Amino acid sequence: CRVCWVLGAGCWPVDERSDRPSHLRQTGSMGDHQPYPSTATPETPETPELVLTRDLRAKGLDGSEIRSVTAGLHRVRRGVFTTYEVSDRQARHLLATRATLRMRQQVVASHTSAAVAHGLWVPPELLDAVHVTATAPHVKDSTRNGVHLHAGPIPPHDVVSIDEVVATRIPRTVADCAMMLPFVDAVIVADQALQQPDVTPQDLELALAARGRRRGVARARRVLRASDWGAESPGETRIRLILVDAGFDVESQVVICRRDGTFVARVDLKLRDHPVFVEFDGRAKYQMGASMEAVLWAEKLRFDKVHELGLEGFRVIWNHLARPRSVVERTHQAIARAEKRGLGDTLFIEG
């Protein structure tokens, strides 16, 4: 279980599920009017209307009339337009996925496209193609016009409807991504999936086992072994993987308490063998409505309190992740500072 660290003797376990976000819960049930259980992503903005040139031709418009209609619209991909511009890559990919599902029969969104539909962050460079999987047998893999079709069939229990996007369920989505994506990107998707309240490591393992001996399964097993539900952002995942690759034993979301059990702070990452913690600064906290000065001051106070209890730490921002060696070097420097202060593991008791 997650561990609550204290200075001196005694510690309290932290409920592994207590800090998980409650959004994206799959609560839909099979209905008579739709073929798959339905779940919706909350707080999504109004979905822009899709306009397909195929539909305009079906209504009798000729080429010049179609060009006149689409002149005032925003292009999503070839033959697909929307009523207003969407600049976010994730949102644009979701629009392209919706359009693909309207244009193709007997397919469901899968892999990275299903991940986006579930609200999981995917690196923008991996969103060039829409991924769909056939629901019917005897279909071969193919890539055409920005759509990658994966061979099926796919069982109905692996499919769910998310805001009218029919996609693979999260466990199946993670298994597919783990078999296809680069290792770090696949772990990022798996970590986010484990943040969902209804997804467990066992769910992911079962979904991967159901894939049999397909190509990429061995790599996917490594992805699942490296995943951790404690990571609350892609940045935290990348830091953890950098440190693990450097030989450090790392745990996520560690609660720091005083000797009497009083809560002090929760840190993103901590080395198990050293009184050193690492915080990822993704800047999201500075956009929550509070003034920059207030947020920075609160962060300084929190950092100082943890430091006073005997831990050395440092912050990592996105730019640092482009230089993994610098993260490792700063970790060694923090360990050296802790040793110079005379701190030791005896100050921390794991329970």
Side-chain angles (χ1 to χ4, degrees):
C1 67
R2 297 293 163 192
V3 176
C4 175
W5 291 85
V6 297
L7 183 64
C11 62
W12 301 337
V14 178
D15 185 346
E16 293 193 357
R17 300 282 181 164
S18 61
D19 295 317
R20 291 190 171 189
S22 59
H23 66 292
L24 298 179
R25 184 184 301 273
Q26 294 189 3
T27 57
S29 59
M30 185 74 77
D32 294 336
H33 62 289
Q34 60 185 26
Y36 302 110
S38 176
T39 180
T41 53
E43 301 181 4
T44 53
E46 181 182 354
T47 303
E49 180 182 355
L50 287 175
V51 178
L52 278 62
T53 55
R54 181 193 66 176
D55 294 342
L56 297 178
R57 283 195 297 269
K59 292 180 179 180
L61 277 68
D62 60 27
S64 61
E65 291 171 327
I66 291 175
R67 286 191 293 272
S68 176
V69 170
T70 58
L73 301 178
H74 298 275
R75 186 178 185 273
V76 176
R77 50 167 296 185
R78 181 180 179 183
V80 181
F81 298 82
T82 187
T83 49
Y84 60 83
E85 186 174 10
V86 177
S87 58
D88 179 75
R89 286 293 301 273
Q90 305 275 121
R92 284 183 61 83
H93 186 83
L94 187 57
L95 284 174
T97 302
R98 288 176 52 209
T100 300
L101 295 180
R102 282 181 56 178
M103 297 169 67
R104 289 176 174 255
Q105 302 295 320
Q106 295 185 312
V107 296
V108 301
S110 62
H111 299 74
T112 49
S113 297
V116 170
H118 283 290
L120 307 181
W121 183 83
V122 176
E125 62 269 20
L126 301 178
L127 297 179
D128 291 337
V130 172
H131 289 263
V132 295
T133 295
T135 58
H138 312 303
V139 175
K140 295 183 179 180
D141 282 27
S142 64
T143 301
R144 184 179 180 184
N145 295 331
V147 177
H148 188 127
L149 174 64
H150 296 266
I154 184 168
H157 66 261
D158 271 345
V159 179
V160 66
S161 178
I162 315 158
D163 291 333
E164 300 182 355
V165 174
V166 181
T168 51
R169 287 184 178 274
I170 290 181
R172 169 64 184 258
T173 299
V174 172
D176 288 340
C177 288
M179 294 166 60
M180 181 186 73
L181 298 182
F183 176 75
V184 173
D185 298 321
V187 176
I188 287 174
V189 172
D191 280 2
Q192 292 178 85
L194 290 173
Q195 281 284 312
Q196 313 310 310
D198 296 331
V199 178
T200 67
Q202 293 73 27
D203 293 333
L204 304 187
E205 292 169 2
L206 289 173
L208 182 58
R211 305 299 286 138
R213 297 184 177 181
R214 292 173 181 261
R215 181 180 180 182
V217 167
R219 178 178 57 185
R221 292 195 188 100
R222 180 171 169 248
V223 169
L224 297 191
R225 287 195 298 269
S227 63
D228 183 353
W229 70 262
E232 294 186 343
S233 72
E236 291 177 28
T237 298
R238 292 186 62 183
I239 295 171
R240 186 183 79 248
L241 294 178
I242 289 171
L243 295 179
V244 169
D245 187 59
F248 293 108
D249 190 3
V250 187
E251 58 181 336
S252 304
Q253 300 304 323
V254 179
V255 175
I256 309 297
C257 295
R258 298 187 185 278
R259 185 189 301 274
D260 60 3
T262 303
F263 173 83
V264 175
R266 186 179 65 170
V267 297
D268 294 337
L269 298 157
K270 183 192 173 296
L271 305 188
R272 292 184 186 274
D273 300 329
H274 301 279
V276 171
F277 69 96
V278 185
E279 290 277 277
F280 174 66
D281 190 350
R283 298 287 177 177
K285 57 174 144 316
Y286 305 130
Q287 303 172 9
M288 300 300 290
S291 69
M292 177 71 76
E293 292 80 5
V295 172
L296 289 174
W297 181 248
E299 282 295 295
K300 180 184 183 304
L301 293 178
R302 187 176 73 94
F303 204 89
D304 289 346
K305 287 179 180 178
V306 176
H307 186 266
E308 289 170 1
L309 288 182
L311 285 85
E312 286 287 339
F314 61 94
R315 290 188 176 90
V316 175
I317 62 175
W318 276 111
N319 289 346
H320 297 151
L321 297 177
R323 304 185 302 277
R325 183 176 297 179
S326 70
V327 176
V328 175
E329 290 174 352
R330 295 178 69 192
T331 304
H332 284 296
Q333 292 167 1
I335 293 173
R337 292 197 303 271
E339 292 176 347
K340 186 175 182 179
R341 291 173 61 189
L343 303 177
D345 293 335
T346 56
L347 294 177
F348 303 93
I349 300 178
E350 180 175 358

